[in-house]
Amino acid sequence: MDACWQGSLFAAVEGGGRELTSAFRHELARGAWVDVVPGWVPDPDALFDLLVATVPFRGHRRRMYDRIVDEPRLTHRWQLAEGDAPPQRLAGMAAELGRRYDVGFSQIGANLYRDGADGVAWHGDRVARERPEAVVALVALGATRPLRLRPTGGGASVSFPLASGDLLVMGGTCQRTWQHSVPKVTAAGPRISVQFRHLYPGAPGVPPDGRSA
């Protein structure tokens, strides 16, 4: 797929991330877009170590066809609207991103991919894909892994190799008209993906497993 890039209109931010002056916007088809900010998180290794040491990651099981299988990654969620207290740096990032995108990020999730055998299949956010538009922000920590996107229902995909500290924001109709995945690879070190989601009018909340990458 041909990439069409343009500079994003990010304002400078303070606290959780560096100034967003090196952001790029990738305009996808059908009203979807992706913003990418390389190296947005200062000292990402320290944040990775903090999350590995303090977050109570746990595994989940899900149905696949006629079987119940272990999901190939570990997860944890903080519901800010319910008083959950995430690490201060993550709370600061949620506030900064919320100001930039004019949404109130009310859930922070963290997915731990232990090695290359962990991954997540093609999907869209379970709540956001029911809305005309939504914003889901992802911060990558640890080993570089590709995040892939393709049109919902199949088609040519585009890949973003996210290194530690990179920020990727999916917006517009992305959760409804596109799908994303983190494919399994032959070998990789541990990776954490931190996701920021917001509530939508009429929605009671975000389910425990929103399936974002």
Side-chain angles (χ1 to χ4, degrees):
M1 177 177 295
D2 292 332
C4 178
W5 296 93
Q6 68 182 38
S8 290
L9 302 178
F10 278 97
V13 298
E14 300 176 354
R18 294 191 170 102
E19 293 186 1
L20 299 171
T21 54
S22 58
F24 294 93
R25 175 157 292 186
H26 188 171
E27 299 285 357
L28 305 174
R30 298 190 286 178
W33 53 262
V34 171
D35 279 344
V36 179
V37 188
W40 183 62
V41 179
D43 198 4
D45 291 345
L47 181 56
F48 177 89
D49 291 342
L50 173 68
L51 297 183
V52 168
T54 61
V55 174
F57 290 105
R58 65 185 184 93
H60 297 271
R61 308 200 80 198
R62 60 185 175 89
R63 180 173 294 278
M64 178 177 288
Y65 305 109
D66 60 346
R67 298 183 300 145
I68 302 296
V69 299
D70 292 329
E71 187 173 284
R73 61 179 182 174
L74 305 179
T75 65
H76 183 73
R77 302 284 182 267
W78 295 272
Q79 299 287 358
L80 277 62
E82 299 175 4
D84 288 350
Q88 185 175 2
R89 287 189 67 184
L90 300 189
M93 291 177 188
E96 292 167 4
L97 292 167
R99 287 192 294 269
R100 166 61 186 91
Y101 290 99
D102 195 26
V103 296
F105 286 106
S106 56
Q107 187 202 68
I108 301 175
N111 297 328
L112 173 60
Y113 299 84
R114 294 157 290 188
D115 52 33
D118 281 353
V120 63
W122 293 109
H123 68 283
D125 185 281
R126 287 180 177 172
V127 175
R129 69 190 181 201
E130 304 299 328
R131 306 299 305 172
E133 294 190 351
V135 176
V136 177
L138 308 174
V139 166
L141 301 169
T144 299
R145 294 281 295 271
L147 176 74
R148 293 181 179 171
L149 291 100
R150 72 176 185 185
T152 298
S157 66
V158 60
S159 182
F160 297 90
L162 298 180
S164 192
D166 290 353
L167 168 70
L168 183 144
V169 182
M170 296 176 282
T173 67
C174 197
Q175 301 303 316
R176 181 168 56 84
T177 62
W178 287 69
Q179 297 175 313
H180 55 280
S181 73
V182 176
K184 297 179 181 181
V185 295
T186 302
R191 170 190 188 263
I192 293 176
S193 172
V194 181
Q195 315 94 42
F196 303 87
R197 299 187 184 93
H198 60 97
L199 292 179
Y200 316 103
V206 181
D209 180 12
R211 293 296 304 278
S212 280

